[in-house]
Every structure is written in structure tokens, then in C-alpha cells.
Amino acid sequence: MYLGIDFLVSPSLKPFVAEVNVGLPGGAEEYERTHLVFFQEPSDIFSRIEEISNRVYRRPFKDYLDSLPFIKSLKTLKIWMDGEGPFPLELHPGLRLEDKWVQYQILSPLVPMPETMVFDPRSLDTAEIFLRQKGRLVLKRRLGRGGRNFQVIDSPLALSEARSEVRPSVLQEYIDSRTQGYIFSVRSVAFGGEHVCLYANLSRRDYSNHGILAYVVEGDHFRLTNPIFETEYFRQKSWEAKIWFEEAEPAYLYHNLYEDEVARTALILPGGLFRAIQALSIKIERFYDNLDLNSLPLAPFEEKA
């Protein structure tokens, strides 16, 4: 199953799986743009994805995507999650994979993930204990994208103020994933039992979603090749948008589908960490590809249905 997997890296250089994205998540186009900036030449990423699709699934990538049983409703669900469209008329159990709490339940026994609990704004006792144990938490929507309503919870007051969040949410252990003044995450793409590519998101904010993109290289040290860097801007329809929306992309997603800022630097990951992210990505992809979607825990939107 084609996946975009987001990793955080602790100060001890341990990778944590923060989120798994299904359908046609961003990743390949962003990798291509970081490759263009770093090497001044295009990569072979798109032809490689097509080659894997034809070899493993015996069909072109677009046909593979259309064959996913939940794909028709997934696009509608994602737009509804953004608050920009109606709720899907048809639901498939595979849509439960969009729920961060479902992801945690099925993946935490298999791969390292930040410790997570469901946030109940009506009863903060358990959340207060969790905060005392961890010292710092993050509040995320169970069904949300792009860092919407992302909050850092570092005090009982912040936790109390979070009670105003009405959408189903989770509290997650805060992972201090940073280097040289930047919060960062790594987006890793896996498909057909293979690791396809990865790149980094850099940000000065509390979260790295849609940050400055950077190429990732394997090396002996953990650092940016140049922490003081210039950037290049891209304003061109992404490969994913052409496949996913064709000519009918929603106007509100223009920035996501067209625009990227890419750093003229690279994030160096030590070999062990680099290979661990690759191996974890393949492990998750194989697990997802063999899931019994009907057996997944229920998601909050099923109450609405």
C-alpha cells in the first residue's frame, strides 16, 4: 500500500512514528524538488513508483490507486476533515486509517510511537497524570491534517484551556525533534514492500507540517549540511495533484498542491538512523498491505454515519 509515514527523532536519535498517511499522500513531488535543489538535476522517483506498481501490483500506478476499495470515499472524507466539503455518502472500513487513535492502537505494538491517549475534555484527571509523567504533551485532532488545532500542552493551565476543543482529539507525548534551531520531521514513502524516498520538513514553529523542505542524506553525523541557508520556491502543480484531482482540485488546497519552499541544504542522518527509518517504513507498509480493514477499531466519524 502506498504510504507517507511521518517520523520524529528524539535527542537520543531514536525514530518515532508520528502518523501514517494513506491514499496518495505528499512525498514523491516534495522529494523530487529537494533532489532538484540539492543535485541540480531531477530524480527518477516517478518512474520508480510506476516500475514498482507494475512489478508488484501488475498495473500502472493510477490503476493501482483506483483499485483501493476506500479510495473514492477517501478524497471526500479528507475535504470534510478540512471543513471544506460534505460528509461522504458512503463509508468503507479503510477510512478508519485516517484516525490517529486507530493508527496508534494497531501500530504501537509493532513500531516505536509517541505514547498516546484519547483526550476527554470532560474529565482531565487521566490527562493531568499523563502530563506530570511526560512533562510536555501535544494535542492533535484524531481526524485532522496540516497541523490544524495542533497545541503544545506544557502546563495544567494549558491542559485546562484545551477543554474548549470539541473535535475528537488525542494527547501525545511530546518528542523534541529538532536540529540547529529547527523543529523537523521526516516524511518517508514506502510502496510495494520497498522504501521509495524520504525528505525532511524544517520549521521554526511548534510543528513541522508544510515547513521548509530539505533533502536527506546518510552520513556520520546528525546535522544540517549548512544551518544558514537560502531557499528556492516552487509554484507548479504537483504529481500527486495531477493524479488525485486531475483538473478539479479545490481552490483552498492551492498552497498544498502547488507551492513548496526548499532549502539549499540537506539533513544528514547517521547511517543507523537512516536505515532504521527505511526498515520501519517497509514494516508498516507490509503490515498495512495485509490488514483486514473490516477488523479495524471504529473511528469517530462512524458515529455521525
Side-chain angles (χ1 to χ4, degrees), residues 97-116:
L97 295 171
E98 286 294 303
D99 181 1
K100 295 178 181 65
W101 179 238
V102 169
Q103 293 179 26
Y104 184 75
Q105 290 178 86
I106 65 174
L107 285 174
S108 58
L110 303 175
V111 297
M113 300 185 76
E115 189 174 345
T116 302

Side-chain angles (χ1 to χ4, degrees), residues 10 25 34-35 54 67 77 92 104 126-127 132 149-150 152 178 191 195 197 208 213-214 225 247 299 303:
S10 73
T34 64
H35 192 283
N54 280 289
S67 73
L77 180 71
H92 185 280
Y104 184 75
T126 305
R132 286 198 297 270
N149 282 49
F150 180 100
V152 175
R178 71 175 67 230
F191 181 44
H195 182 256
C197 65
S208 58
L213 309 182
T225 57
E247 300 302 321
E303 299 175 5

Side-chain angles (χ1 to χ4, degrees), residues 12 25 49 53 57 92 117 159 169 174 214 225 252 264 266 300 303:
S12 63
I49 291 169
S53 185
Y57 297 98
H92 185 280
M117 63 171 284
L159 185 61
S169 300
Y174 182 88
T225 57
Y252 83 95
R264 292 177 181 166
E303 299 175 5

Side-chain angles (χ1 to χ4, degrees), residues 36-285:
L36 279 168
V37 170
F38 192 72
F39 290 107
Q40 294 298 297
E41 63 180 22
S43 73
D44 64 348
I45 187 67
F46 305 122
S47 60
R48 183 163 178 235
I49 291 169
E50 284 293 345
E51 188 276 327
I52 293 172
S53 185
N54 280 289
R55 172 166 44 85
V56 176
Y57 297 98
R58 301 187 182 279
R59 64 192 74 185
F61 182 73
K62 179 65 165 62
D63 292 345
Y64 152 78
L65 198 65
D66 290 340
S67 73
L68 295 175
F70 54 84
I71 200 68
K72 291 182 180 179
S73 297
L74 181 62
K75 187 190 305 181
T76 305
L77 180 71
K78 286 180 179 288
I79 294 173
W80 171 79
M81 285 163 50
D82 294 342
E84 298 288 343
F87 189 73
L89 295 176
E90 297 182 13
L91 292 178
H92 185 280
L95 299 180
R96 298 169 185 168
L97 295 171
E98 286 294 303
D99 181 1
K100 295 178 181 65
W101 179 238
V102 169
Q103 293 179 26
Y104 184 75
Q105 290 178 86
I106 65 174
L107 285 174
S108 58
L110 303 175
V111 297
M113 300 185 76
E115 189 174 345
T116 302
M117 63 171 284
V118 172
F119 177 60
D120 183 357
R122 299 165 299 180
S123 176
L124 296 183
D125 292 349
T126 305
E128 289 171 349
I129 295 171
F130 191 33
L131 176 60
R132 286 198 297 270
Q133 290 174 339
K134 300 300 179 182
R136 205 174 194 198
L137 307 173
V138 295
L139 181 72
K140 298 179 177 179
R141 290 182 181 176
R142 288 176 62 172
L143 300 164
R145 305 194 294 164
R148 291 175 174 84
N149 282 49
F150 180 100
Q151 299 179 52
V152 175
I153 307 294
D154 55 7
S155 69
L157 177 60
L159 185 61
S160 179
E161 291 174 344
R163 298 174 76 164
S164 61
E165 176 56 64
V166 297
R167 296 182 184 236
S169 300
V170 293
L171 283 171
Q172 193 174 80
E173 170 188 6
Y174 182 88
I175 304 297
D176 191 20
S177 184
R178 71 175 67 230
T179 181
Q180 294 157 284
Y182 288 93
I183 297 290
F184 81 94
S185 61
V186 173
R187 167 61 63 93
S188 176
V189 176
F191 181 44
E194 300 182 28
H195 182 256
V196 177
C197 65
L198 53 78
Y199 67 93
N201 270 292
L202 309 174
S203 177
R204 299 286 193 184
R205 302 167 299 181
D206 289 330
Y207 59 92
S208 58
N209 304 66
H210 303 297
I212 301 171
L213 309 182
Y215 193 74
V216 175
V217 296
E218 183 178 353
D220 297 329
H221 303 285
F222 170 60
R223 61 180 177 86
L224 295 170
T225 57
N226 182 5
I228 302 174
F229 52 80
E230 296 180 343
T231 60
E232 293 187 24
Y233 290 87
F234 289 78
R235 293 180 179 87
Q236 181 179 343
K237 191 170 185 176
S238 67
W239 172 79
E240 290 87 355
K242 293 174 184 175
I243 296 174
W244 187 245
F245 290 109
E246 297 179 336
E247 300 302 321
E249 72 266 11
Y252 83 95
L253 285 175
Y254 180 86
H255 170 66
N256 303 68
L257 302 178
Y258 282 76
E259 299 179 329
D260 281 312
E261 183 180 7
V262 181
R264 292 177 181 166
T265 190
L267 177 64
I268 304 173
L269 296 182
L273 174 58
F274 190 98
R275 291 188 293 274
I277 290 175
Q278 290 180 314
L280 287 168
S281 300
I282 295 170
K283 184 176 183 177
I284 294 168
E285 190 276 333

Side-chain angles (χ1 to χ4, degrees), residues 8-41:
L8 302 173
V9 178
S10 73
S12 63
L13 301 188
K14 178 179 178 178
F16 287 85
V17 177
E19 187 173 342
V20 178
N21 302 274
V22 299
L24 185 54
E29 183 68 49
E30 289 88 341
Y31 172 81
E32 171 70 4
R33 292 175 180 182
T34 64
H35 192 283
L36 279 168
V37 170
F38 192 72
F39 290 107
Q40 294 298 297
E41 63 180 22

